Amino acid sequence: MRQGIGLQNKRVIILGGSSGIGLAVAEQATSQGANVVIVSSNPERIQKAIESVGGEVEGQTVDLSDERAVAALFTKLGPFDHLIFTAGDNLHLHELAATDLMQARRAFELRYWSALAAVKYGSPHIRKGGSIVLTTGVAGRRPHKGWVVAASVCGTIEALTRALAVELAPIRVNAVSPGVVRTNLWQNMGAAERENLYESVGKSLPVGRVGEAYDIAQAYLFLMQEGFSTGQTVVVDGGTVLV
Ligand SMILES: NC(=O)c1ccc[n+]([C@@H]2O[C@H](COP(=O)([O-])OP(=O)(O)OC[C@H]3O[C@@H](n4cnc5c(N)ncnc54)[C@H](OP(=O)(O)O)[C@@H]3O)[C@@H](O)[C@H]2O)c1
């Protein structure tokens, strides 16, 4: 078998795998024969995720904002093939004039610093032919008013992906950039407001709808398996950058 092809018996670590996009990656990877480890901070959500995925899946409870805990996790896990980082917390979207700069700094905590820690401590354990897939967002390329900080985080992850691809070669490092996706990420909005957002954004897009987690997960499956892309960000946004 050529290097990088197929997920049968590959060990895939999904940081942020208990919900949304990460959970969909867990489902699709196990259905293709991978052994998956789901990592998130909430044991009940991990247990639910394990039950919904079925197949070869285990869970580890770790707060990824704790660098020592991230280091200990990878020592405990040992060798594996693919590292997926989909962890994300609630977004605080404000126009610049109303932005609290301390809160803005915290926006980088999980998405940037925890991703960097995961790569630092995880990459030495990646087997030959393995890869890393990070997560950004299309706001980095197509920002709207109020997205100054969130768009900055996204752009930072794209730059990080390119830099890591050079530094960690031959490990391949790529990222996925979703548009609006129907997941728990939007749960801090009221239900009606959230449905309005999905409907209005969906209508504005060339594909006529917002994304579902399984749409986005397919890009991670592709990047783990194809073996020849590195330093790339794959945009899966329903055409957001076009409108
Ligand atoms: N949904 C969208 O519209 C969209 C659009 C563009 C980009 N993205 C990006 O895609 C990524 C995944 O988002 P999603 O939509 O799948 O969100 P989600 O359903 O809320 O999933 C987020 C995951 O991160 C985990 N997590 C949060 N804080 C953690 C911590 N401190 N330690 C460990 N795990 C933690 C959560 O599990 P626990 O709560 O159990 O810890 C959960 O598994 C995020 O980076 C998000 O910004 C999403």
Side-chain angles (χ1 to χ4, degrees), residues 139-219:
R141 297 181 184 202
R142 184 69 177 87
H144 292 275
K145 261 187 150 189
W147 282 76
V148 168
V149 175
S152 307
V153 176
C154 295
T156 303
I157 299 295
E158 290 202 31
L160 174 67
T161 300
R162 289 189 288 272
L164 290 172
V166 172
E167 181 153 331
L168 299 181
I171 296 173
R172 295 178 303 104
V173 185
N174 293 294
V176 175
S177 180
V180 173
V181 189
R182 195 189 295 268
T183 68
N184 286 339
L185 192 75
W186 301 101
Q187 72 187 352
N188 59 344
M189 281 179 149
E193 192 191 354
R194 193 168 57 228
E195 283 311 313
N196 281 341
L197 170 88
Y198 292 153
E199 201 184 321
S200 65
V201 171
K203 271 188 188 154
S204 74
L205 296 177
V207 299
R209 65 174 176 87
V210 296
E212 301 293 339
Y214 59 76
D215 294 316
I216 316 301
Q218 290 175 38

Side-chain angles (χ1 to χ4, degrees), residues 17 204 220 243:
S204 74
Y220 295 79
V243 294

Side-chain angles (χ1 to χ4, degrees), residues 31-226:
S31 77
Q32 298 201 16
N35 303 320
V36 166
V37 182
I38 284 173
V39 182
S40 92
S41 69
N42 181 302
E44 285 85 37
R45 271 199 283 278
I46 293 176
Q47 193 48 42
K48 262 194 183 167
I50 288 173
E51 285 159 19
S52 87
V53 171
E56 286 294 322
V57 58
E58 61 174 280
Q60 295 286 338
T61 307
V62 176
D63 177 356
L64 294 169
S65 60
D66 177 347
E67 181 184 345
R68 279 199 211 166
V70 173
L73 169 74
F74 285 106
T75 304
K76 181 172 168 187
L77 289 175
F80 63 92
D81 298 286
H82 300 285
L83 175 62
I84 305 295
F85 192 96
T86 57
D89 44 12
N90 287 342
L91 296 168
H92 299 277
L93 303 173
H94 304 287
E95 290 188 22
L96 184 58
T99 296
D100 172 335
L101 294 186
M102 285 315 291
Q103 190 181 61
R105 283 169 193 257
R106 286 196 291 275
F108 284 80
E109 202 54 55
L110 186 63
R111 287 181 176 76
Y112 178 75
W113 290 108
S114 297
L116 196 67
V119 174
K120 174 174 176 176
Y121 296 109
S123 59
H125 299 282
I126 294 181
R127 293 184 186 118
K128 192 173 174 199
S131 76
I132 297 169
V133 189
L134 303 177
T135 305
T136 176
V138 82
R141 297 181 184 202
R142 184 69 177 87
H144 292 275
K145 261 187 150 189
W147 282 76
V148 168
V149 175
S152 307
V153 176
C154 295
T156 303
I157 299 295
E158 290 202 31
L160 174 67
T161 300
R162 289 189 288 272
L164 290 172
V166 172
E167 181 153 331
L168 299 181
I171 296 173
R172 295 178 303 104
V173 185
N174 293 294
V176 175
S177 180
V180 173
V181 189
R182 195 189 295 268
T183 68
N184 286 339
L185 192 75
W186 301 101
Q187 72 187 352
N188 59 344
M189 281 179 149
E193 192 191 354
R194 193 168 57 228
E195 283 311 313
N196 281 341
L197 170 88
Y198 292 153
E199 201 184 321
S200 65
V201 171
K203 271 188 188 154
S204 74
L205 296 177
V207 299
R209 65 174 176 87
V210 296
E212 301 293 339
Y214 59 76
D215 294 316
I216 316 301
Q218 290 175 38
Y220 295 79
L221 272 279
F222 166 74
L223 289 168
M224 279 190 272
Q225 294 176 85
E226 53 76 45

